[in-house]
Amino acid sequence: MQINGERFLKDLHDLRQIGAAGVGKGVVRPAYSEADVAARRWLAGRMREAGLRVEMDPMGNLFGLAEGKSILIGSHSDSQPEGGWLDGALGVVAALEVARAAAEAGGPAVSVVSFQDEEGRFGVTTGSAVWSGHLSQSDADALTDHRGVALGEARKVLAEDVTGPVDAAQFTGFMELHIEQGPTLDTAGETIGVVSDIVGIRDMNITFAGQQNHAGTTPMHLRKDAFQAVAAFTTELQNRFANVVTPATVWTMGHVTLHPNASSIVPGRAVFSMQWRDGDADRLGRMEAIIRDLAAEIAAARGLEVSFGGMLGLEPVAMDARLRAALEAAAAQVAPDRWRIMPSGALHDATNVSRLMPVAMLFVPSIGGISHAFEEDTAEHDLVAGVDVLARAVAGLHDS
Ligand code: GLV
Ligand code: MN
Ligand code: MN
């Protein structure tokens, strides 16, 4: 099977135009936004042109199906609130190209998917979480975004495109090409990373409730300032984690809401997202205990109330040995001495799909290690090399 690099790059740039924003090749295409819906309809058209049967499940996961048993390839086409042109989109358009090349070569059968809300406007990899049975549709529908919009409301924008549930039994396995989103390959001057494992994640909201008051008349020692509690929490957390984490462990407070958020008011309430990731599920649990204890301690010392929102999470997963071996063999052909085996610190739909079938993943470099930002980019020759490895792996699996 022979991939067409120009055809693939043209599609990737065409998709970038849908929701193009910010500097460089930035994209704003969050789940169920106007741009996301337009991108899914555009992709559906390209799938049909490739001879695939288009189906969409009630979450908005979009499938281009080959006849009979097939391997499923893809990723997601929604973006972060400020995202790049490749996170997810690369894997979907690469899958489309491999499906076309396979059809032109007379086989093997390749199906394509673009999962919905991988970037977590509502949850964590929400579309594939529902498809894989990890999350029920009714629990997903109750999730809300930072503005309070419920997923059950938001997904109505795709109602007329939905055909019904898509049966996973027709697929023999799942492969996903993605940008690395970190500095390892770029720093080493390498082209391909074959993924060994995907880390696990925990994500929950924490609320400190104090006393809203006048910023001019309330003495410092009488304040119950919710923002000061957040500041104390984030500083002390670093110390409490010291004997538990490894250099690969990460934690982030990326979204904070202060109430009422005004210069002359002592903030009465702060709600923030607390997210942490690691390859070891036990360590994730120990970190959770530290987080809960410290938040309670800080609240008590300052006369505030603390409360914890529902916990979202995914466990660490290892890639399937057979699919991974096919990617390794293909990487050795396309980029001899310029590929490695590496873990994924980012989350991917493959984690959820691993509940249903064997999965494997590969990475191409991210320039400067930048992602989840408008500046995200990858050299075009590396993008094409990634598609080439994917196509060879699919062909290799078919022949073996
Ligand atoms: C997915 O985009 C992640 O946050 O790793
Ligand atoms: Mn992604
Ligand atoms: Mn992402």
Side-chain angles (χ1 to χ4, degrees):
M1 116 168 59
Q2 188 63 48
I3 61 147
N4 181 332
E6 273 174 34
R7 179 172 64 181
F8 154 72
L9 286 171
K10 168 148 190 350
D11 275 350
L12 198 54
H13 282 285
D14 285 353
L15 178 53
R16 172 167 78 78
Q17 299 308 323
I18 308 175
V23 294
K25 297 176 185 157
V27 165
V28 174
R29 209 164 51 216
Y32 310 110
S33 63
E34 219 173 285
D36 171 57
V37 171
R40 278 171 204 276
R41 290 184 179 151
W42 177 85
L43 279 166
R46 300 303 278 151
M47 288 170 170
R48 274 188 209 100
E49 284 166 28
L52 301 168
R53 190 175 75 258
V54 172
E55 292 191 12
M56 184 181 279
D57 75 4
M59 269 299 289
N61 296 314
L62 173 69
F63 292 81
L65 299 171
E67 281 309 309
K69 284 258 179 200
S70 62
I71 183 149
L72 182 65
I73 316 183
S75 190
H76 60 95
S77 52
D78 62 299
S79 83
Q80 287 285 331
E82 283 195 9
W85 70 302
L86 298 171
D87 180 358
L90 167 63
V92 176
V93 176
L96 193 59
E97 179 52 32
V98 174
R100 284 187 296 231
E104 286 161 3
V110 175
S111 294
V112 179
V113 63
S114 170
F115 286 110
Q116 182 56 289
D117 197 29
E118 193 276 349
E119 298 292 7
R121 172 178 167 196
F122 294 96
V124 174
T125 59
T126 329
S128 56
V130 173
W131 188 60
S132 67
H134 178 58
L135 181 67
S136 71
Q137 186 67 67
S138 56
D139 284 351
D141 282 347
L143 295 170
T144 51
D145 69 6
H146 288 308
R147 291 203 180 120
V149 178
L151 189 151
E153 272 307 302
R155 73 183 171 91
K156 288 182 182 163
V157 292
L158 281 169
E160 67 190 56
D161 303 67
V162 171
T163 51
V166 174
D167 184 5
Q170 66 195 298
F171 306 121
T172 55
F174 174 69
M175 291 215 268
E176 179 170 3
L177 167 62
H178 206 281
I179 49 168
E180 181 200 330
Q181 309 184 276
T184 307
L185 295 173
D186 191 42
T187 305
E190 293 172 346
T191 307
I192 300 291
V194 176
V195 175
S196 54
D197 316 79
I198 304 176
V199 298
I201 187 171
R202 300 287 182 269
D203 198 317
M204 68 175 169
N205 279 341
I206 301 179
T207 302
F208 282 123
Q211 177 60 58
Q212 182 176 327
N213 211 336
H214 194 291
T217 57
T218 315
M220 295 309 286
H221 71 283
L222 292 181
R223 292 184 180 205
K224 295 179 178 175
D225 183 326
F227 179 69
Q228 288 197 10
V230 175
F233 174 80
T234 188
T235 307
E236 181 57 17
L237 192 58
Q238 190 101 2
N239 300 327
R240 300 282 173 104
F241 275 165
N243 293 326
V244 172
V245 297
T246 76
T249 313
V250 293
W251 61 97
T252 309
M253 295 158 63
H255 191 277
V256 183
T257 321
L258 270 190
H259 186 84
N261 212 15
S263 320
S264 293
I265 303 180
V266 176
R269 190 172 69 245
V271 185
F272 61 97
S273 59
M274 182 71 233
Q275 182 192 93
W276 60 108
R277 309 189 191 201
D278 193 85
D280 177 347
D282 285 348
R283 183 172 293 112
L284 291 171
R286 274 177 275 146
M287 292 172 76
E288 178 182 347
I290 291 171
I291 288 165
R292 288 183 188 270
D293 288 352
L294 177 62
E297 218 176 275
I298 284 182
R302 292 163 182 264
L304 287 83
E305 299 290 322
V306 64
S307 56
F308 301 95
M311 175 77 84
L312 296 171
L314 292 173
E315 299 309 309
V317 295
M319 299 296 99
D320 174 74
R322 179 169 159 268
L323 298 193
R324 178 179 144 181
L327 288 169
E328 289 173 17
Q333 284 170 12
V334 173
D337 304 325
R338 284 183 295 110
W339 71 280
R340 71 166 66 202
I341 295 166
M342 61 188 293
S344 172
L347 287 176
H348 298 288
D349 293 306
T351 294
N352 290 317
V353 180
S354 72
R355 293 188 186 92
L356 303 173
M357 63 190 82
V359 303
M361 287 198 71
L362 75 157
F363 289 154
V364 290
S366 292
I367 296 171
I370 307 268
S371 185
H372 285 189
F374 291 144
E375 294 86 348
E376 168 188 289
D377 209 358
T378 298
E380 292 197 346
H381 58 86
D382 285 336
L383 296 173
V384 173
V387 186
D388 197 8
V389 171
L390 189 58
R392 285 169 192 256
V394 167
L397 280 170
H398 184 62
D399 295 341
S400 65

